[in-house]
Every structure is written in C-alpha cells, then in structure tokens.
Amino acid sequence: MKTTADQVRAGQYIEVEGKSVRVLGVRPHNGGVRITVELTGDEGTVPVGFWSRAGTRLRVLPA
C-alpha cells in the first residue's frame, strides 16, 4: 500500500532501500517530516532518522 510520508505512523513498517523497517516516530520538520526508523545491522538495532517531503509516497508494508 502506498501512502504519503506525512500519513505514516509509529508502529507501521515501510520499505526503505528494499528493506522492511519499523517506524519509531514521525514529526514535522522544516516543511516536511522527520521519520525515525529502526535499522538492524552488524552493531545491533539502532534508530535512524531521515527527512522527507510531506507528499512523498512511501510503501507501507503489512506488519
């Protein structure tokens, strides 16, 4: 399901660079939104934030 960045909510999973990541939080930031997601790598699980335009379409995945 595709939705815009400003409609994404904490707890949902979105696709980022081909991977399914869990959204930890979304907040307004500089005319867009700052989305914090949970990434898992060699060092364990870490929160990573990125900025997106509010109208950018993101792919929301089933939990």
Side-chain angles (χ1 to χ4, degrees):
M1 173 174 93
K2 291 212 178 195
T3 189
T4 58
D6 57 319
Q7 295 172 327
V8 174
R9 297 292 173 247
Q12 290 182 310
Y13 286 81
I14 61 172
E15 185 178 302
V16 176
E17 294 184 3
K19 296 180 182 177
S20 174
V21 295
R22 187 167 69 101
V23 176
L24 299 176
V26 180
R27 64 182 172 94
H29 185 75
N30 286 346
V33 291
R34 181 146 184 97
I35 300 173
T36 305
V37 297
E38 187 176 70
L39 292 182
T40 302
D42 295 339
E43 301 297 318
T45 301
V46 294
V48 175
F50 67 93
W51 181 87
S52 179
R53 282 180 169 52
T56 301
R57 295 181 67 80
L58 298 173
R59 178 174 217 157
V60 176
L61 305 171

